[in-house]
């Protein structure tokens, strides 16, 4: 398949990130490597979307801290960024609404043919408070080459998204087109198929099988309209998990299971283990968290007490 005929993918990971671990970052890397190996996809970006403070999870530290830790964790990445949209809403947002928000935003900004834009949502673009700056949230990607390939063109779009997605745009700018991208005559955005896929571990997939935990209509949208990329964790078998849910079985072709080293060392890393290691002064915390995140946690005195 040529670059223009491959599906261009943005991986979106939602979660507490309390704190973000090396396992979270490796989940993005493993998913990208696997999708590229299939020959069907080009991953052009990754988005980390921390949950709103009102999610109510015990020990969840302020989104201010979680956003900063996420940014520190991805600061060396040239393709993963942190999006604070969830955190800046008035209340907790469902995973479905977060996916719809990013889908609609990408449609407005790029004009791409998104394969998961069947029904426009009414998700508003609600922005960052006016008295705060987004400078510490987003990173400028200076590694985009001048070669006008599809991936690089959408890299330019990603830079524009970084500047606008936390700002409440005037109504007339809802059809924003990136005037900074040098498209030349090589390709128009409309010629690129773009998909936003939910990236998750097998533990989240397993939660779909718990009766009453997820709204079934949301599950239909998440799996049926968007699709999921699943990274196995703790030896879990995603194929077995899918057989326990009628919706997962129905949309099995929309669920991409990463098939790499099932004994990957990062598959057992979790935020819970990281918090326990911090509380107990366990030196293994360096295996779970990157050093800038550890430094920030110690400086801010997070997770040191069992209460979080």
């Amino acid at each position: 398949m040529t670059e223009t005929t491959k599906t261009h993918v943005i991986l979106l990971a939602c979660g507490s990130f309390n704190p973000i671990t090396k396992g979270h970052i490796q989940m993005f890397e493993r998913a990208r490597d696997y999708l590229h190996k299939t020959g069907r996809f080009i991953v052009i970006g990754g988005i980390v979307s921390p949950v709103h403070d009102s999610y109510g999870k015990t020990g969840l530290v302020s989104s201010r801290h979680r956003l900063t830790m996420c940014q520190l964790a991805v600061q060396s990445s040239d393709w993963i960024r942190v999006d604070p949209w969830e955190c800046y809403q008035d209340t907790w947002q469902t995973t479905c609404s977060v996916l719809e928000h990013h889908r609609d935003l990408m449609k407005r900004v790029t004009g791409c043919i998104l394969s998961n834009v069947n029904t426009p949502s009414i998700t508003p673009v609600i922005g960052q408070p006016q008295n705060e700056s987004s400078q510490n949230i987003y990173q400028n990607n200076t590694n985009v080459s001048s070669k006008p390939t599809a991936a690089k063109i959408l890299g330019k779009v990603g830079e524009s998204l970084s500047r606008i997605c936390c700002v409440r745009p005037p109504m007339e700018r809802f059809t924003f087109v990136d005037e900074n991208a040098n498209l030349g005559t090589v390709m128009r955005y409309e010629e690129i198929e773009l998909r936003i896929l939910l990236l998750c571990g097998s533990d989240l997939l397993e939660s779909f099988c718990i009766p009453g935990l997820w709204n079934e209509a949301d599950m239909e949208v998440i799996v049926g309209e968007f699709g999921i990329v699943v990274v196995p964790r703790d030896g879990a078998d995603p194929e077995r998990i899918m057989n326990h849910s009628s919706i997962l079985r129905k949309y099995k072709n929309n669920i991409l299971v990463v098939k790499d080293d099932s004994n990957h060392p990062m598959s057992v890393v979790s935020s819970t283990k990281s918090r326990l290691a911090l509380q107990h002064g366990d030196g293994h915390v360096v295996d779970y968290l990157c050093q800038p995140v550890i430094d920030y946690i110690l400086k801010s005195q997070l997770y040191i007490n069992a209460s979080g």
Side-chain angles (χ1 to χ4, degrees):
M1 299 178 71
T2 65
E3 195 170 65
T4 56
T5 58
K6 290 181 181 180
T7 299
H8 290 67
V9 169
I10 292 176
L11 297 171
L12 171 66
C14 300
S16 299
F17 301 105
N18 187 43
I20 188 169
T21 70
K22 291 180 179 179
H24 289 125
I25 305 303
Q26 280 296 312
M27 184 170 66
F28 276 95
E29 300 288 351
R30 292 170 65 187
R32 183 176 68 161
D33 290 347
Y34 175 74
L35 292 179
H36 285 179
K37 286 177 182 177
T38 67
R40 298 161 48 203
F41 305 98
I42 297 176
V43 177
I44 63 169
I47 300 174
V48 177
S49 183
V51 76
H52 193 276
D53 286 342
S54 65
Y55 181 57
K57 191 173 183 178
T58 302
L60 186 68
V61 303
S62 166
S63 60
R64 175 173 64 89
H65 292 305
R66 290 183 289 113
L67 284 168
T68 301
M69 288 186 287
C70 286
Q71 179 60 25
L72 290 170
V74 305
Q75 63 185 350
S76 61
S77 175
D78 62 357
W79 69 283
I80 306 171
R81 67 178 178 84
V82 181
D83 191 287
W85 182 83
E86 270 194 82
C87 295
Y88 289 145
Q89 302 312 294
D90 293 332
T91 188
W92 170 75
Q93 301 293 308
T94 64
T95 300
C96 183
S97 67
V98 178
L99 282 162
E100 288 177 332
H101 160 72
H102 285 284
R103 174 197 65 188
D104 296 348
L105 181 63
M106 286 301 297
K107 177 64 176 177
R108 288 195 297 269
V109 171
T110 69
C112 286
I113 301 172
L114 272 74
S115 56
N116 42 21
V117 288
N118 299 335
T119 307
S121 77
I122 57 172
T123 307
V125 180
I126 299 177
Q128 181 174 353
Q130 294 299 311
N131 61 346
E132 294 189 27
S133 169
S134 62
Q135 291 298 316
N136 65 329
I137 299 298
Y138 291 109
Q139 54 193 349
N140 291 323
N141 181 358
T142 58
N143 296 322
V144 178
S145 75
S146 59
K147 184 179 180 182
T149 63
K152 301 307 180 184
I153 288 171
L154 282 167
K156 287 286 188 180
V157 175
E159 292 178 5
S160 295
L161 279 175
S162 295
R163 292 193 295 272
I164 73 167
C165 82
C166 286
V167 178
R168 183 195 296 272
M171 289 299 292
E172 64 269 21
R173 297 214 62 192
F174 273 22
T175 54
F176 175 88
V177 176
D178 180 17
E179 63 267 31
N180 297 314
N182 298 315
L183 299 183
T185 59
V186 178
M187 185 179 302
R188 300 192 317 275
Y189 293 139
E190 291 83 357
E191 295 173 344
I192 303 169
E193 182 188 6
L194 176 63
R195 292 189 69 182
I196 298 175
L197 298 177
L198 179 66
L199 174 64
C200 68
S202 50
D203 49 339
L204 187 143
L205 186 72
E206 194 162 22
S207 73
F208 283 173
C209 303
I210 301 175
L213 184 61
W214 288 81
N215 179 290
E216 288 200 6
D218 281 2
M219 287 179 62
E220 287 274 352
V221 173
I222 293 170
V223 190
E225 291 188 22
F226 286 90
I228 305 178
V229 180
V230 183
V231 179
R233 295 187 60 191
D234 291 332
D237 181 2
E239 298 291 339
R240 178 191 59 80
I241 294 172
M242 285 187 275
N243 288 331
H244 284 78
S245 165
S246 60
I247 292 179
L248 295 182
R249 289 196 304 270
K250 178 180 178 181
Y251 296 109
K252 192 171 183 178
N253 290 338
N254 283 351
I255 302 173
L256 301 165
V257 179
V258 174
K259 295 179 173 62
D260 59 2
D261 182 6
S262 59
N263 296 315
H264 195 286
M266 289 294 109
S267 66
V268 297
V269 173
S270 69
S271 295
T272 300
K273 287 184 178 180
S274 302
R275 292 195 301 272
L276 289 173
L278 288 163
Q279 290 162 15
H280 298 145
D282 186 345
H284 283 100
V285 71
V286 297
D287 298 325
Y288 307 148
L289 308 177
C290 67
Q291 193 59 50
V293 171
I294 294 175
D295 293 342
Y296 180 84
I297 289 172
L298 295 178
K299 179 182 177 181
S300 305
Q301 289 292 288
L302 305 177
Y303 311 115
I304 304 304
N305 298 318
S307 63

